[in-house]
């Protein structure tokens, strides 16, 4: 569905046959992303002290090996830092909310205390299609939740 409810948006939409073909392809890509069980993702933004980088790297490696081996429906688990080594982004993507919920519970019991002793999360943005139980579980983090508008993934 392509909304034309806003005048500015209507000016940007290409409603020719080729333009409509493009919009159909975008819609199909979004539907294809959703057909695998309603994907969900988030980015955790956090600060940390540069002197903790070695401990953080060790924890990251341990968690990555664990989740890669034991969470087959975890699609992305990527850590990135800035050049000052004080800002961390953790990008996680799951096949569905059930997988994400299982991950959150596993993370909390195995790694939560250590993670929070090294890293101070200050923003969480959730994408995709989180279920109500997952949203409730994430609520203590006060996430911003964004709905899928369109696009594609490979």
């Amino acid at each position: 569905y392509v909304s034309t409810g806003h005048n500015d948006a209507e000016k940007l939409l290409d409603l020719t046959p080729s333009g409509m073909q493009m919009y159909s392809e975008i819609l199909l890509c979004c539907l294809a992303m959703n057909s695998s069980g309603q994907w969900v993702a988030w980015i955790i933004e956090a600060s940390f002290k540069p002197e903790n980088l070695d401990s953080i790297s060790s924890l990251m490696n341990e968690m990555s090996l664990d989740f890669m081996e034991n969470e087959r429906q975890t699609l992305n688990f990527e850590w990135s830092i800035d050049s000052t080594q004080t800002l961390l982004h953790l990008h996680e993507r799951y096949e569905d909310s059930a997988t994400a919920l299982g991950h959150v519970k596993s993370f909390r019991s195995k790694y939560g205390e250590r993670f929070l002793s090294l890293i101070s999360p200050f923003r969480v943005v959730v994408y995709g299609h989180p279920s109500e139980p997952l949203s409730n579980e994430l609520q203590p983090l006060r996430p911003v939740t964004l709905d899928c508008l369109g696009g594609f993934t490979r």
Side-chain angles (χ1 to χ4, degrees), residues 42-45 121-126 138 141-145:
W42 54 74
I43 294 177
I44 298 171
E45 297 178 56
F122 59 85
R123 179 174 160 103
V124 177
V125 180
V126 177
L138 295 174
L141 300 171
R142 299 184 327 264
V144 173
T145 301

Side-chain angles (χ1 to χ4, degrees), residues 22-34 39 93 148-154:
M22 178 188 71
Y23 299 133
S24 296
E25 290 172 7
I26 290 171
L27 175 63
L28 290 174
C29 288
C30 195
L31 291 173
M33 289 190 315
N34 298 341
W39 65 273
R93 183 178 174 110
C148 177
L149 178 62
F152 72 93
T153 186
R154 296 184 196 263

Side-chain angles (χ1 to χ4, degrees), residues 126-142:
V126 177
Y127 306 88
H129 311 276
S131 66
E132 187 174 338
L134 177 60
S135 294
N136 291 340
E137 192 74 23
L138 295 174
Q139 197 54 48
L141 300 171
R142 299 184 327 264

Side-chain angles (χ1 to χ4, degrees), residues 40-108:
V40 64
W42 54 74
I43 294 177
I44 298 171
E45 297 178 56
S47 60
F48 67 97
K49 295 177 182 172
E51 60 266 22
N52 288 339
L53 185 58
D54 288 341
S55 297
I56 290 168
S57 294
S58 176
L59 177 62
M60 174 198 65
N61 289 331
E62 183 181 341
M63 291 170 63
S64 294
L65 288 172
D66 179 13
F67 299 146
M68 190 172 8
E69 184 175 308
N70 297 307
E71 296 181 4
R72 295 285 185 209
Q73 290 78 29
T74 296
L75 306 175
N76 294 80
F77 188 73
E78 302 166 329
W79 300 51
S80 301
I81 61 171
D82 72 343
S83 62
T84 66
Q85 298 182 346
T86 60
L87 176 66
L88 176 124
H89 280 200
L90 177 52
H91 171 233
E92 302 179 37
R93 183 178 174 110
Y94 303 91
E95 190 171 285
D96 54 36
S97 286
T99 299
L101 188 57
H103 168 83
V104 169
K105 290 178 179 182
S106 175
F107 163 82
R108 185 178 294 131

